Amino acid sequence: MDAQDISSFAFVRGDGALSIDGRLVYLYGIYIPPTEQTCYTFVRPVQCGSRALLALEFKVSGDFVRCQPRFANPDGSLVASCRSGEDDLSEWMLQRGWALALPDAPFSYAAMERIAQSRGLGIWGIPVEIPQRRR
């Protein structure tokens, strides 16, 4: 692992960023849109939040997240490629329909988004207002 890499437990924030080892990290190449609130009563304490964010929270819970920073934002937060287990988190979110590929993301990200959309997964299977993209 590179000296600049980050590896620790992650906590998902309300804006889709991860809090890892005291650092604020945004997943590279994706936007996680707000979705309707859902509560899981089989978990104690009860977890409530955006369905997309809860999916990410369940994915990273109990596992170390390893991130390779790509660049820093002016506010000091990082944009990074992150993995949980064997999965790239950006790809995992796109494949399940819980994220949108950003315009400057790799072509494969846009393809994953379109496949999830065609299958009605995640945000594509529930009513949600998707912000218009700038082209």
Side-chain angles (χ1 to χ4, degrees):
M1 180 163 52
D2 190 303
Q4 296 178 13
D5 288 356
I6 302 165
S7 179
S8 188
F9 290 104
F11 301 93
V12 179
R13 293 173 22 120
D15 61 356
L18 301 175
S19 177
I20 305 170
D21 200 25
R23 295 186 179 125
L24 185 59
V25 179
Y26 290 92
L27 295 176
Y28 170 73
I30 65 170
Y31 169 69
I32 302 172
T35 57
E36 66 186 26
Q37 293 262 81
T38 299
C39 292
Y40 290 99
T41 56
F42 60 86
V43 177
R44 296 286 184 251
V46 175
Q47 287 186 313
C48 293
S50 156
R51 292 177 64 187
L53 296 179
L54 284 172
L56 181 57
E57 179 68 39
F58 280 134
K59 175 65 180 161
V60 302
S61 65
D63 195 9
F64 263 53
V65 173
R66 294 168 304 287
C67 297
Q68 182 178 27
R70 290 185 170 256
F71 59 88
N73 290 318
D75 66 0
S77 64
L78 299 172
V79 174
S81 295
C82 298
R83 300 185 78 74
S84 178
E86 296 299 316
D87 297 314
D88 176 288
L89 291 176
S90 294
E91 292 177 0
W92 190 89
M93 291 292 286
L94 287 164
Q95 290 167 348
R96 283 152 184 80
W98 292 123
L100 304 173
L102 294 175
D104 60 346
F107 175 78
S108 62
Y109 282 24
M112 287 179 221
E113 176 188 329
R114 287 190 186 101
I115 291 168
Q117 183 178 14
S118 71
R119 293 180 177 167
L121 301 175
I123 61 174
W124 308 110
I126 59 173
V128 65
E129 190 172 315
I130 304 295
Q132 291 295 326
R133 293 188 207 183
R134 295 180 194 175
R135 299 260 179 209

